[in-house]
Amino acid sequence: MRKKYRYAKIREIIQNQVIETQEELAEALLREGIEVTQATISRDIKEMMLIKVPDDNGRYRYAVSPEEAALLAKSRYAPLFQGAVTNINYSGNLLVIQTMPGAAQAVAFVLDNTAIDAVIGTIAGDDTILVVLAEGTDAAAAKERLFELLREA
């Protein structure tokens, strides 16, 4: 199961249902056809920066953190791309992105969470990122989408 799909389902679930525990979230995902372990749920909650907020009954439920939205806002990641990415190449369903030294991890985080829907995952070093795209994805189009981010003000 792709992480992005699972994350999207988790967001949908917590926005439409009162989910108080990791077990309830796992059960809700299972009803959606997504089987996960408690360890996966725990990791997803941490990576998605979910928080617990009080509901109308004084109980606590999971919610999307306002910081996540701010962190992944285009107004924040477009300048990151503009200041960090130096080159993008592709072969098959792989992109290789070169960045300024020390910037690859931050750019990879954004790619894993926002920039291109077809990204299965990334591997980042200090100044190079290997991006694996979903089967059948047009790598040239993905490369152009990233170059659009570099051109945007």
Side-chain angles (χ1 to χ4, degrees), residues 1-12 29 32-34 117 119:
M1 183 64 49
R2 291 191 29 204
K3 185 191 292 190
K4 284 185 177 185
Y5 177 74
R6 189 174 67 244
Y7 281 11
K9 281 297 182 184
I10 290 171
R11 278 188 189 91
E12 178 183 312
L29 285 168
E32 296 286 332
I34 303 170
D117 292 335
V119 172

Side-chain angles (χ1 to χ4, degrees), residues 5-38:
Y5 177 74
R6 189 174 67 244
Y7 281 11
K9 281 297 182 184
I10 290 171
R11 278 188 189 91
E12 178 183 312
I13 289 167
I14 66 172
Q15 289 172 349
N16 296 311
Q17 300 176 39
V18 175
I19 302 292
E20 297 181 52
T21 67
Q22 292 181 9
E23 293 78 19
E24 288 177 1
L25 183 54
E27 290 169 9
L29 285 168
L30 189 56
R31 287 191 297 274
E32 296 286 332
I34 303 170
E35 189 172 346
V36 293
T37 65
Q38 188 278 329

Side-chain angles (χ1 to χ4, degrees), residues 59-75:
R59 297 164 60 189
Y60 286 83
R61 64 178 287 176
Y62 282 106
V64 175
S65 169
E67 286 83 23
E68 180 194 24
L71 178 65
L72 297 176
K74 188 174 185 178
S75 63

Side-chain angles (χ1 to χ4, degrees), residues 49-99:
M49 296 182 265
L50 299 182
I51 60 173
K52 283 206 166 180
V53 297
D55 67 10
D56 296 335
N57 300 325
R59 297 164 60 189
Y60 286 83
R61 64 178 287 176
Y62 282 106
V64 175
S65 169
E67 286 83 23
E68 180 194 24
L71 178 65
L72 297 176
K74 188 174 185 178
S75 63
R76 292 198 61 185
Y77 72 75
L80 170 67
F81 274 69
Q82 293 165 353
V85 175
T86 59
N87 195 25
I88 306 171
N89 284 304
Y90 69 92
S91 177
N93 70 328
L94 303 174
L95 292 177
V96 176
I97 301 173
Q98 285 149 337
T99 70

Side-chain angles (χ1 to χ4, degrees), residues 2 4 89-96 111 116-122 130-143 146:
R2 291 191 29 204
K4 284 185 177 185
N89 284 304
Y90 69 92
S91 177
N93 70 328
L94 303 174
L95 292 177
V96 176
L111 291 171
I116 301 176
D117 292 335
V119 172
I120 292 175
T122 62
L130 175 64
V131 181
V132 180
L133 301 172
E135 190 75 28
T137 298
D138 182 352
K143 174 184 172 182
L146 289 177

